[in-house]
């Protein structure tokens, strides 16, 4: 629009050559300024988006192609021109083309478990798939236009970037990057020796572990309180159970002693019977017949002998 206005002013100057030269110079000046500024105003916005730890949740809606790269990676440097050309087609295809610098966004590096560079992900409405094809513009276009991503197995939900596990990985990567920056600051800016930095981090790890352990103990005692501190009934029950166990033990020992005494008495009786059979009566004479018989047998024998004697007397 500005160029059209400037050109119309120039045409009017050409149609009216009798105007002062001062006015002509002013018009030429305006025309140059407007023409030089118009490319900046009408320039096409950058179609390649950048994803950070602050806005990464935007990729959960719509269709995205995301490249994870590092400035020092040679393969990433070789891919950058192709990726920018591919990004120019993104608006026409309805796909968002983005990039992530893993050196500046360690949280996203841990959230997506980036183990090699460059790594490319395709995302459709929060479902992520890892791109494994060739890295040319035509291959990228056909992958999206022909929906070749449907043949690729998606990332499982528990490994997705919004899962609890990946949130923990993201926090861990951020912590590691924070520690590294602190180490570089102490060694480079403060002039501290490397071993001094290691000692500081070692002590910090030790004390933080102790504090975390105490916190876990307090939480466990609060959630699962110990029985010995619950009430006095616990002590009474414990004493009753101990007394019952003691009484039961004494009874068992008494029964065991009684059984041993009975066994000893039976053994003594058996030994005395055997001795009597072998040695005879106490006077050294053999025992009379029927000594080893039972009481009923002896009674029957005596009754029988008396009957025989009575018959003899009658005769």
């Amino acid at each position: 629009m500005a160029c059209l206005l400037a050109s119309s002013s120039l045409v009017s100057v050409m149609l009216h050559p009798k105007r002062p030269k001062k006015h002509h110079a002013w018009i030429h000046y305006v025309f140059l300024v407007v023409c030089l500024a118009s490319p900046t105003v009408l320039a096409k916005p950058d179609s390649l988006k950048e994803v950070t730890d602050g806005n990464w949740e935007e990729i959960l809606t719509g269709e995205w192609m995301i490249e994870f790269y590092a400035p020092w990676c040679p393969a990433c440097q070789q891919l950058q021109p192709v990726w920018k050309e591919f990004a120019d087609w993104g608006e026409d295809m309805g796909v968002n083309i983005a990039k992530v610098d893993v050196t500046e966004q360690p949280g996203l590096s841990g959230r997506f478990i980036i183990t090699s560079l460059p790594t490319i992900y395709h995302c459709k409405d929060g479902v992520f798939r890892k791109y494994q094809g060739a890295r040319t513009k035509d291959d990228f276009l056909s992958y999206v236009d022909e929906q070749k991503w449907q043949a690729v197995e998606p990332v499982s939900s528990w490994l997705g970037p919004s899962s609890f596990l990946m949130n923990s990985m993201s926090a861990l990567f951020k912590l590691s990057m924070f520690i590294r920056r602190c180490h570089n600051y102490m060694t480079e800016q403060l002039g501290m020796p490397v071993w001094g930095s290691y000692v500081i981090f070692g002590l910090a790890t030790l004390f933080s572990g102790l504090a975390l352990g105490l916190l876990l103990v307090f939480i466990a005692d609060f959630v699962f309180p110990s029985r010995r501190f619950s009430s006095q009934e616990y002590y009474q029950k414990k004493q009753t159970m101990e007394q019952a166990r003691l009484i039961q033990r004494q009874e068992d020992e008494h029964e065991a002693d009684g059984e041993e005494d009975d066994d000893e008495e039976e053994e003594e009786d058996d030994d005395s019977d055997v001795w009597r059979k072998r040695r005879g009566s106490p006077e050294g004479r053999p025992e009379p017949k029927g000594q080893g018989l039972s009481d009923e047998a002896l009674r029957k024998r005596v009754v029988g002998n008396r009957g025989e004697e009575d018959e003899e007397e009658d005769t």
Side-chain angles (χ1 to χ4, degrees):
M1 181 64 70
C3 288
L4 291 176
L5 292 175
S7 60
S8 63
S9 300
L10 181 60
V11 170
S12 63
V13 170
M14 293 175 65
L15 294 177
H16 300 86
K18 294 183 180 180
R19 289 186 177 180
K21 294 182 179 181
K22 186 176 179 181
H23 184 66
H24 291 177
W26 181 81
I27 293 176
H28 284 293
Y29 177 75
V30 172
F31 174 75
L32 291 175
V33 171
V34 171
C35 288
L36 290 175
S38 59
T40 305
V41 175
L42 300 177
K44 184 179 180 180
D46 190 7
S47 56
L48 185 60
K49 300 180 181 180
E50 190 162 357
V51 180
T52 63
D53 286 321
N55 64 354
W56 75 271
E57 292 183 351
E58 295 179 1
I59 66 178
L60 299 178
T61 56
E63 188 173 3
W64 292 75
M65 286 287 286
I66 310 165
E67 176 205 7
F68 292 83
Y69 75 99
W72 48 264
C73 175
C76 300
Q77 295 173 2
Q78 188 178 2
L79 180 62
Q80 291 309 306
V82 178
W83 195 252
K84 288 181 180 179
E85 292 179 4
F86 173 56
D88 294 335
W89 289 79
E91 185 176 356
D92 297 332
M93 301 178 66
V95 181
N96 299 296
I97 313 300
K99 62 180 180 179
V100 178
D101 186 357
V102 295
T103 60
E104 297 293 333
Q105 310 299 329
L108 291 179
S109 178
R111 192 179 294 277
F112 287 88
I113 314 180
I114 304 302
T115 57
S116 61
L117 295 173
T119 298
I120 299 173
Y121 273 96
H122 174 270
C123 178
K124 177 70 173 178
D125 296 331
V127 180
F128 291 84
R129 294 175 173 85
K130 195 171 184 179
Y131 178 80
Q132 301 289 352
R135 297 169 183 173
T136 63
K137 184 185 73 173
D138 294 335
D139 291 317
F140 293 146
L141 292 174
S142 63
Y143 184 81
V144 175
D145 187 38
E146 298 176 9
Q147 297 184 356
K148 293 182 179 179
W149 48 266
Q150 292 182 353
V152 180
E153 185 178 359
V155 177
S156 59
S157 59
W158 65 281
L159 286 177
S162 58
S163 64
F164 174 77
L165 179 61
M166 293 299 102
N167 284 326
S168 302
M169 289 294 295
S170 176
L172 182 62
F173 272 64
K174 288 180 180 179
L175 178 61
S176 63
M177 184 59 66
F178 173 75
I179 293 174
R180 181 178 180 181
R181 289 175 180 174
C182 292
H183 173 74
N184 294 334
Y185 175 77
M186 287 188 292
T187 55
E188 296 176 2
Q189 301 294 330
L190 301 180
M192 183 180 296
V194 176
W195 62 266
S197 176
Y198 290 160
V199 170
I200 291 175
F201 283 115
L203 294 175
T205 304
L206 178 62
F207 286 112
S208 60
L210 292 174
L212 181 60
L214 291 174
L215 179 62
L216 292 176
V217 170
F218 291 149
I219 293 174
D221 288 339
F222 179 77
V223 177
F224 305 102
S226 179
R227 292 181 178 179
R228 58 184 178 180
F229 299 115
S230 59
S231 62
Q232 295 182 355
E233 295 180 357
Y234 174 75
Y235 293 101
Q236 296 177 358
K237 291 180 180 179
K238 187 176 181 180
Q239 291 177 358
T240 304
M241 292 175 65
E242 290 180 354
Q243 292 176 358
R245 290 176 183 174
L246 182 60
I247 294 171
Q248 185 66 30
R249 186 181 300 173
Q250 292 177 354
E251 291 178 354
D252 294 339
E253 292 177 354
H254 181 69
E255 291 179 358
D257 294 338
E259 291 178 356
E260 291 179 357
D261 295 339
D262 294 339
D263 294 337
E264 291 178 356
E265 291 177 357
E266 291 178 358
E267 290 178 358
E268 290 177 356
D269 294 338
D270 294 337
D271 293 340
S272 61
D273 293 339
V274 172
W275 178 258
R276 287 176 182 175
K277 288 179 181 180
R278 290 182 180 180
R279 299 297 300 273
S281 61
E283 292 80 6
R285 294 174 296 177
E287 293 181 355
K289 289 184 178 181
Q291 182 72 24
L293 298 176
S294 61
D295 295 340
E296 293 181 357
L298 290 173
R299 189 178 297 107
K300 290 179 180 180
R301 187 172 180 178
V302 170
V303 171
N305 293 332
R306 288 182 180 177
E308 292 177 355
E309 291 177 355
D310 293 336
E311 288 178 359
E312 290 178 356
E313 289 177 356
D314 293 336
T315 54

